[in-house]
Structure formats: C-alpha cells, structure tokens
Amino acid sequence: MSAKTYEVRTYGCQMNVHDSERLSGLLEDAGYVRAPDGADGDADVVVFNTCAVRENADNKLYGNLGRLAPMKARRPGMQIAVGGCLAQKDRDTIVTKAPWVDVVFGTHNIGKLPVLLERARVQDEAQVEIAESLEAFPSTLPTRRESAYAAWVSISVGCNNTCTFCIVPALRGKEKDRRPGDILAEIEALVAEGVSEITLLGQNVNAYGSDIGDREAFSKLLRACGKIEGLERVRFTSPHPRDFTDDVISAMAETPNVMPQLHMPLQSGSDTILKAMRRSYRQERFLGIIEKVRAAIPHAAISTDIIVGFPGETEEDFEQTMHTVREARFANAFTFQYSKRPGTPAATMENQVPKEVVQERYMRLVALQEEISWEENKKQVGRTLEVMVAEGEGRKDGATHRLSGRAPDNRLVHFTKPETEVRPGDVVTVEITYAAPHHLLAEGAVTSVRRTRAGDAWARRNAAEAAKPTGVMLGLPKIGAPEPLPAAAAPGCGCD
C-alpha cells in the first residue's frame, strides 16, 4: 500500500512559511509523503495555512475550499485542514461555511495536526481545536525545510505591540522568547547539516529579550552567531524602530557574518499618522536610526514597509512619507494600499481615505521608490561582490544562460553561468556591470567559484529527493534569506 500524500498551501508572512515547514515535517514524521509537483489539490491531505491580515483573506480561503469540495466528494478518505491566523480568528465559522473541512487548528497548536487528522478520520466528524496560548515552541517540532543551504530560525513568537492596523497580537499572542542556548543549539545543528545562511525570525525580532529581562539580548545573540564556525551569513527580520538600539547597530557592524542588510518598517513618514497607528516612534527617530546604521555600515542596503492611505491620511501626511523616502533612500520598499483588517481599531476609524485617492498616492510613491532603487543599484556597478548561488531566483536563467544569487546585502544578482559546476549554496565572485531597479547583472566571466558545504548539502538533498515524489512548493513567493524576496512581495504581514 502506497503512503498517503499531502500538500501544504501557505498564505501570509514569513512566520506562516516557517510554520508550514513544521507542518510538512509533522506530516512526514507521521508517514505522509509530499504530493507530486502540480498536484493542485490531488493529495490525500490538503492543508491551508492561512493569513488574516487582509480584508478579503476569508473570501480567498473559502474560494479555494470551494474548488476542492467536488474533488473531495469524488475521493473518499481525502482530508482538508485549515490552520493559521484565519483559523485562530474564525474558529467554528470555517466548518459552518465549509462543512467538508475535516480539521481546524490555530497558531498555538500546529503540533496537533496529525492527531486531529487521525481523530477526524476515526470519528468521521470535523475536529476544531484552537489553543489560547502556545503549547510548544514551534522549533521543537519536526521540520521539512524548503532549502538545504539556508534556514529560518525562530527566536520569538507573538508581539507586545498594539498597532491599530494589525491583528497579529490577538492571533499569535504576547511575545514569548526562546532561551538563547536553544536558539544557538538549533543554529549549530543546522550548520552541521550544511546550512550556511540563517535568518533570525520574530514578529518583532529586535524586542528579543523583553520576555527574559535582558534589553541587550538581541545584540548578544548576533555576536554569538558570529562565533559559530561554518555559519557564513546571518540576517534577521523584522525589527521595530522602537526597539532598535545602538548596541544592535554595533553588533551588526562588528560581527562579520551579520550581513549589511536591514529591513526596517516605516509604515508612514507622518508623525500624525504614526500616532494614529500607535507606532511608538516618529519620523526624526526613524531617520536617525538610518543615519546611524549607514555611518557604521556604509554599504548597508535598507528596505522598508509603507502603508498608503491609512484612515485620516491627508495630502500633507502623505508628503511627509514621500519626504522620508527621499531622505532614507531605501534600496527597496514593500508598499501597501491600506485595507481594513477585521478586528483592528483602524477598521472602524472615521475619515477612511477614498480608494481612488489611495491608488493615486500609491502610484506616486511606487514611482519615487522605483527611481531611488535604480539610482542606488547603479552605485553597485563596478563593485566586486561575493554572491551566494540561489535556487529558483532567476526565472529567465535558462533562456539567458545565467545563474542567480544574493549579494551580502541581499540584492539579487544575475551572473554569467561559468564552465565550472556551480550549485545552490556555493559562492561565486563577480563584478557588477549593469543595474536595473530590482536586480544587478554581472555580464563578465565569474572571477572565482567557491564550492561550499552548503552546496554539498544541496547536492545530497537533491539526490535523495530524486528517489521520492517531486515536492509541492509552499504557496507563497520565496522570501527572506532562505528564498529571498522578489520586488513585489512583502517580508512580513505589513504589520511589523
């Protein structure tokens, strides 16, 4: 009898991506195998890991569930599970609207999925189990990681902020930090497996330590990462300006394997709007952090999140955002048109900005940032960079006879394919010859190729996977260090 297959579909932020790696690991630990690529619901178990931060998130979920209903009717024994933030928020509503769903579980009890699936099968009725607090830190669960050479490492869960546009604290709970020893042990284990790049992950990553009473815990953690032999690149996402302290900047500058990259959510450049958002910093403070980072790390690439059209935003408020963008000169920005997020204070605020006004401002902001991104990328021309080769980054690589990877500052680089075999996880040295707004080109010959333990790990995993059914990728654009961000995708919920 062949093993049962599974498919995981992921929506939302990097937290959900990381949770889905855990869900995949749990299912494989329970004996399931990943459905072939392109299965599109043709699996024994289909899991939706949902997001709740967008206004129409529920419509998207129910539309997808509706498309699976006839397939499930034709396949006795097929099961559908819904987890994540929307499941935490809507609970019993899901099985009321979609009674063919077998399991509903929340953000705090993802480890229960295999048990709930089995219980639903035996009892022949839907299982809804939503824990109100974290049962086990996700990193203690089995994991099926999407990359052999780069990995997420969660250092905290939950958030203590009260931003008026964000529902995440209500769904993921108060911040809970992992013990530093547990984090470093996980990183060391990953490096032993061949991983050479890690991204420290938290809803408010640089607030790490508040739960354990150490305000410098995050900078200490960065420095400790610098002492792990074989760990070549360290990134983190997403920090909050309120908690961004000088000791973190020093740790970034003084720890060689901490990359010269910073994603710092702005959200708005207007002090009035920041106050309405309950963001505990103002424009001057934000730009002051950027100035300090650039003074300590001159080649740092800084990116951000910006919301356009928050309730009450005037043209003057928007111009303050445009001013901040001009001053900060972000390498790129992930821009969002404000949308009501059910359950948040902002959703019921007066003075909601008309959609056509939001759209017009959004287009102006995108045009400005596009111009700045291109200008900043042009400064890279002539530089010699070490690029970590990535998997699946260059959609046109086959046609152009190029390969793609990420520079230390996380810029996407397409380079001429060398005659020497190069594997994802290996490192090449190239000279940048051309810049576009969202990528760099190295059109000359590769200067050097460094085969790495990470490349070896990728080769081993690729060989092992060839003997199994081809995997189904998680349903989200590739993100962060493990699979860095495309220009159009956001690194978080837009709520960091």
Side-chain angles (χ1 to χ4, degrees), residues 12-14 17 54 152 237-238 263 304-306 333-336 476-480 485-496:
C13 67
Q14 65 273 71
V17 176
R54 293 295 177 199
W152 305 106
T237 193
S238 290
H263 183 79
T304 197
D305 296 335
I306 300 173
F334 304 96
T335 51
F336 305 85
L476 185 81
K478 300 172 184 64
I479 192 165
L485 287 156
C493 304
C495 54
D496 304 282

Side-chain angles (χ1 to χ4, degrees), residues 1-138:
M1 181 178 176
S2 60
K4 291 185 177 181
T5 58
Y6 76 90
E7 176 186 356
V8 177
R9 300 186 184 184
T10 309
Y11 306 93
C13 67
Q14 65 273 71
M15 287 289 187
N16 276 16
V17 176
H18 192 39
D19 283 350
S20 287
E21 291 184 332
R22 305 293 177 192
L23 294 170
S24 296
L26 284 160
L27 291 170
E28 293 191 7
D29 204 47
Y32 293 85
V33 297
R34 202 170 235 206
D37 213 357
D40 194 24
D42 189 17
D44 295 302
V45 172
V46 179
V47 183
F48 290 86
N49 190 7
T50 64
C51 172
V53 302
R54 293 295 177 199
E55 186 176 10
N56 296 316
D58 54 347
N59 292 337
K60 187 172 186 178
L61 171 66
Y62 295 122
N64 286 321
L65 290 175
R67 283 189 285 275
L68 287 186
M71 188 178 295
K72 189 173 191 291
R74 293 192 302 268
R75 292 192 56 185
M78 178 184 177
Q79 290 185 296
I80 299 172
V82 179
C85 290
L86 193 63
Q88 188 80 22
K89 173 175 169 287
D90 285 357
R91 304 173 183 241
D92 297 324
T93 305
I94 293 173
V95 291
T96 301
K97 289 188 175 182
W100 54 93
V101 169
D102 299 277
V103 171
V104 179
F105 62 100
T107 60
H108 299 309
N109 63 330
I110 63 175
K112 288 288 187 67
L113 176 60
V115 172
L116 293 172
L117 287 169
E118 183 62 22
R119 192 186 300 164
R121 186 179 294 112
V122 171
Q123 298 182 5
D124 194 27
E125 65 180 10
Q127 302 294 309
V128 179
E129 189 169 306
I130 307 291
E132 296 301 330
S133 60
L134 194 67
E135 294 185 349
F137 204 92

Side-chain angles (χ1 to χ4, degrees), residues 39 49 57 162 260 338 347 364 475 496:
N49 190 7
T162 58
Y338 172 77
R364 281 158 55 197
D496 304 282

